[in-house]
Structures are given as structure tokens and as C-alpha cells.
Amino acid sequence: MKIAKLFAAVLVLIFVLAAVGCAPKATPAPAQPAAPAAAAKKTYADMTLCYPQLGAESDWRTANSASFKETAAKLGVKLIFSDAQQKQENQISAMRSCIQQGVSVIALPPVVETGWDAVLQEAKDANIPVIVVDRSVSADPSMYAAHIGSDMVIEGKRSAAEFNKLLPNGGNILELSGTTGSGAAVGRAKGFREALNANIKILDSQTGNFTRAEGKPVMEAFLKKYAGQIQGVFFHNDDMAIGAVEAIKAAGLKPGDLKMVSVDGTRGGFQLMIDGWLQADVECNPLLGPQVMDLGLKLMNGETIVKEALTDESVYYPDKAAELLPTRKY
Ligand code: AHR
């Protein structure tokens, strides 16, 4: 009996060993070629943004520069900022220096519309996208990635609509225009003329270069030349209106003697409305930093973007000026 049991145990053992020996060996899977790693999404920390600011001619411009500096600091964007002192050649050399440094994006607020083709081509050749900011350029849209800013023609039309209400029986007015050849001055002048009633005549138009310092003497000369002949003045920006009001006060005129409309909606413009000098202020928004950096990041990540992004703006009036002034950011 014992022998039979031992024989059975040996048989089981032989069977188990045979089974283990015949089992297919676990062979490691052949190495697969690694899947291509998805390109890591770029973040604001990867962005070097070049902003060759055109100058510091107005409160609007100061607010625009602050918007870029504050947004860059908040988002961790490296900002290369310069001030071209209203000279196109300075903006072009600042752009060339940025191209040499290999920045990620250039945001260009062009002082004038023409003369950008060569440097835009250089940026294109270096694969650096250019976002045109605020004013427009006359270059073909294929030369830049996008434009973000105001519709200057609409601002001119809105200003004309105010004069049509202020002078329903017509009259003579003067225009203090912005920097000659700038998209802001060209667009505002165009829209203004398109929408102004035929019974309102523009007797004269001179540039005050968007500054208080130049607005004042232009207004002084106007008041001498057209004394007693004018009912209103259109200003392409608030700074020129502020300079001109000094001349108007010095000439002995009182608030309301001339109907006046300006563009920007700065705190200075609001104060002119509160003091009775300005009857309407057409908004032009300078706080473009967040929108430009958002677009810049999209470009860096190869995302599709809107070619023309126009800012949503309105018109302000004296009746709400005192209430709104404390809320104004510029
Ligand atoms: O391009 C925007 C214009 O430039 C603003 O109206 C003016 O104030 C600034 O200087």
C-alpha cells in the first residue's frame, strides 16, 4: 500500500514538473517606438514681449504704457519697453533691436500709418509675429498677425453726431487734429467729415500733435483769426482740449460760449465736462495690455486668432461726469 502511495506521489510530481517545463515562457513585449511627445504648451513665463511705445504725449498714452507694464508684471511676461518720443525712426530701431534679441512677440503702436513695410518684413523673416496696437498701419494685413485697438473712424463719426445735436441750426467750427499722418488723426478726421451735417462748416483744421503744450498755441492763433465767427471746436484728444481751454479762458470766453467735443474719456476730459467746457467726450480705451498679451500667447502656441479686434467704446456726457470721475482708471 505504502509503495502504491509513493508511486502515485512520484507520478504527480513528474506530471507537475512536465507541465511547468512545457508552459510557454513569458517573453517581454518588443519595444514599441515612443509616441512623439506633444509640444508643451507655452505659458506667459515663456513670453518676451517687445513694446516700442510711440511716446508719452498724453494722459491716454501714459495709461496705455501703465497697462502694458502692470499686465506684464502680473502675468510674469518679460517686457522690453521703450519710448520713441513720437519719432517713427526711434520705433523702427527699437523693433530692430527686439528682432536681434529674438523676442517672442512684438506689439507695435505705430506713430504714423505709413513706412512700416521694411521692418515688418524683417520681423516676418525672423518668424516674430507683430501685433499692431491702437493706431493702424497702411501695410498689407499679411505683413502682421493682428490689429487690436479702437475704430478711429467711428470715433470721428460719434463726435460729428454730437455736433449735429449741439448745433441743430448749423454753424462754424474748428478742428484741433492729432499727429499728422497718424491712424488716429486720419480716421477721426475722415469719420467726422462723413457724419457731420452739411450746415456745419469746418473753418480750419490744425494739428496740436495730441499734446497740451501744442494745443494751447494753436487755439490762441485760432481765436485771433476767427474771433466772433465760431460756434464750436472739435478736439482729437483731451490733452489738446485741456491746453486749448487755457487759451479760451485767457481770451475771456466762458464755459458754453463754444460747443466743444473731444476724444479719449480721460480724467482730464471728465473734469472739463464737470467744469462746463466740454459737452461730450468720445471714449478711446488705452487699457490694451491684457488683450495683447492674451493674443501674443495664442500666437506663440500656434492657435487661430482674430485678425482685427476692435475695442468696445461709448460716449460720456456732463450729466454723469461727476459721478463717474472717481471710477475712471485713466
Ligand atoms: O492713438 C490714440 C491717441 O493717441 C489718443 O486719442 C491720444 O490721446 C493719444 O495720444
Side-chain angles (χ1 to χ4, degrees):
M1 188 62 191
K2 265 188 184 169
I3 289 175
K5 271 189 183 167
L6 188 64
F7 183 67
V10 169
L11 267 182
V12 168
L13 187 62
I14 289 169
F15 180 77
V16 167
L17 286 175
V20 168
C22 293
K25 283 211 176 96
T27 46
Q32 297 292 318
K41 243 189 153 190
K42 300 235 168 70
T43 69
Y44 285 121
D46 301 309
M47 185 190 293
T48 300
L49 178 75
C50 172
Y51 197 51
Q53 178 59 284
L54 69 87
E57 75 285 1
S58 62
D59 286 351
W60 188 102
R61 191 64 51 197
T62 305
N64 180 255
S65 296
S67 171
F68 276 78
K69 289 177 184 171
E70 283 161 17
T71 310
K74 193 170 132 203
L75 299 176
V77 167
K78 185 170 177 245
L79 181 69
I80 301 182
F81 181 94
S82 50
D83 176 347
Q85 301 181 344
Q86 297 235 64
K87 290 195 175 77
Q88 184 179 32
E89 62 267 31
N90 291 347
Q91 283 195 292
I92 291 176
S93 47
M95 274 179 82
R96 290 202 165 120
S97 154
C98 285
I99 292 169
Q100 272 195 338
Q101 292 174 65
V103 298
S104 335
V105 181
I106 297 173
L108 168 69
V111 62
V112 289
E113 285 188 299
T114 57
W116 298 103
D117 290 62
V119 74
L120 287 175
Q121 186 62 53
E122 288 164 37
K124 211 172 186 197
D125 293 344
N127 281 322
I128 298 174
V130 176
I131 302 172
V132 177
V133 178
D134 160 32
R135 304 175 185 176
S136 49
V137 293
S138 62
D140 190 88
S142 63
M143 300 295 290
Y144 54 88
H147 172 227
I148 295 181
S150 305
D151 188 327
M152 308 295 185
V153 175
I154 287 195
E155 289 174 354
K157 286 187 176 171
R158 287 189 178 136
S159 305
E162 295 307 321
F163 275 106
N164 295 343
K165 288 188 270 174
L166 289 164
L167 299 172
N169 301 318
N172 295 326
I173 63 168
L174 299 165
E175 178 182 49
L176 260 87
S177 77
T179 303
T180 306
S182 68
V186 172
R188 288 171 191 167
K190 180 174 183 281
F192 191 67
R193 281 154 183 78
E194 281 171 10
L196 196 65
N197 282 349
N199 60 2
I200 303 176
K201 298 265 169 303
I202 305 169
L203 290 191
D204 207 340
S205 176
Q206 296 289 330
T207 181
N209 212 14
F210 282 129
T211 67
R212 293 178 193 199
E214 289 173 73
K216 187 179 174 189
V218 171
M219 194 68 223
E220 280 165 355
F222 272 165
L223 289 169
K224 276 192 194 124
K225 193 168 174 192
Y226 300 103
Q229 297 176 55
I230 49 165
Q231 285 74 48
V233 190
F234 169 40
F235 301 98
H236 281 203
N237 86 339
D238 289 348
D239 284 79
M240 292 190 296
I242 292 166
V245 163
E246 286 181 31
I248 293 168
K249 275 186 201 167
L253 295 171
K254 299 276 170 280
D257 285 350
L258 297 173
K259 304 296 180 206
M260 307 210 284
V261 174
S262 178
V263 183
D264 274 356
T266 58
R267 287 196 198 102
F270 270 63
Q271 193 57 54
L272 287 185
M273 288 198 282
I274 293 167
D275 296 341
W277 293 105
L278 214 58
Q279 279 69 50
D281 204 352
V282 174
E283 184 186 16
C284 181
N285 188 350
L287 308 177
L288 303 172
Q291 222 183 329
V292 168
M293 287 177 215
D294 173 61
L295 203 63
L297 190 59
K298 288 195 168 113
L299 287 166
M300 286 168 65
N301 283 314
E303 291 173 34
T304 32
I305 49 140
V306 187
K307 186 88 187 183
E308 180 86 6
L310 296 175
T311 324
D312 207 15
E313 293 163 344
S314 62
V315 183
Y316 299 106
Y317 299 98
D319 60 341
K320 292 261 163 42
E323 180 192 328
L324 290 176
L325 180 59
T327 69
R328 299 300 295 158
K329 293 201 172 66
Y330 56 95

